[in-house]
Amino acid sequence: MANQVEPKLIKPLVDELQKERFVTLATVDHETGGPNVSAISWVLAKDEGTVYFAVDNRSRIVENIKSNDKAVINLIANESTYSISGTASVNQEKLEGVPLKLALVQIKVSEVRDVMFYGSKIVAEPQYDKTYDKDAAARLDNQVMDAMRKA
């Protein structure tokens, strides 16, 4: 049985991408031309066709996207695993309203594919803890997510 493919985000994924969460991001490495996978958490579905994320503006991710605009977000949600493919671009070199030098990157979604293997479902989504000052982390997370919503 073929996995479901959509041209945009389905509502449960838009809903899940309204808060900070663990996702992986695959880009094409600007030096090797091979795959590069990173874990990120500041991600937001602006609408069903656009996903924003924020990363340090000196990140390899930014260089990779400037060299090759293809990107894929892997999201575990809705009892499944999704591959969200599209064209990425740096929307802002420095995200306004945030004390760190973060780039705002947008992905224009071209395909959303349910990539979960047949006959299974996710029963527990990934969880993580911040290993530094939890209050400072919460303040920064709120600032970044608010700035992305306003962008």
Side-chain angles (χ1 to χ4, degrees), residues 27-145:
T27 57
V28 178
D29 190 272
H30 71 279
E31 291 180 331
T32 68
N36 183 274
V37 177
S38 302
I40 61 174
S41 64
W42 290 322
V43 60
L44 172 76
K46 188 70 172 173
D47 54 48
E48 61 191 14
T50 308
V51 177
Y52 286 166
F53 64 88
V55 293
D56 187 301
N57 64 12
R58 298 164 297 175
S59 169
R60 187 170 199 91
I61 293 168
V62 173
E63 290 303 315
N64 291 347
I65 287 168
K66 287 180 177 178
S67 176
N68 184 318
D69 64 2
K70 301 299 181 221
V72 177
I73 291 174
N74 176 256
L75 170 65
I76 297 173
N78 197 34
E79 296 185 333
S80 197
T81 303
Y82 296 87
S83 174
I84 303 167
S85 303
T87 304
S89 60
V90 177
N91 189 297
Q92 293 179 25
E93 291 285 339
K94 181 173 184 323
L95 184 59
E96 295 177 28
V98 177
L100 300 178
K101 293 179 182 176
L102 300 178
L104 177 66
V105 179
Q106 75 173 14
I107 296 180
K108 286 296 185 184
V109 176
S110 58
E111 178 183 86
V112 179
R113 185 178 295 266
D114 182 335
V115 296
M116 192 68 194
F117 49 91
Y118 180 73
S120 61
K121 69 178 185 177
I122 297 293
V123 295
E125 293 182 17
Q127 296 180 6
Y128 58 93
D129 278 328
K130 301 288 173 106
T131 57
Y132 57 102
D133 183 323
K134 293 200 186 304
D135 291 335
R139 277 192 307 277
L140 180 60
D141 292 343
N142 288 332
Q143 288 174 322
V144 173
M145 296 303 292

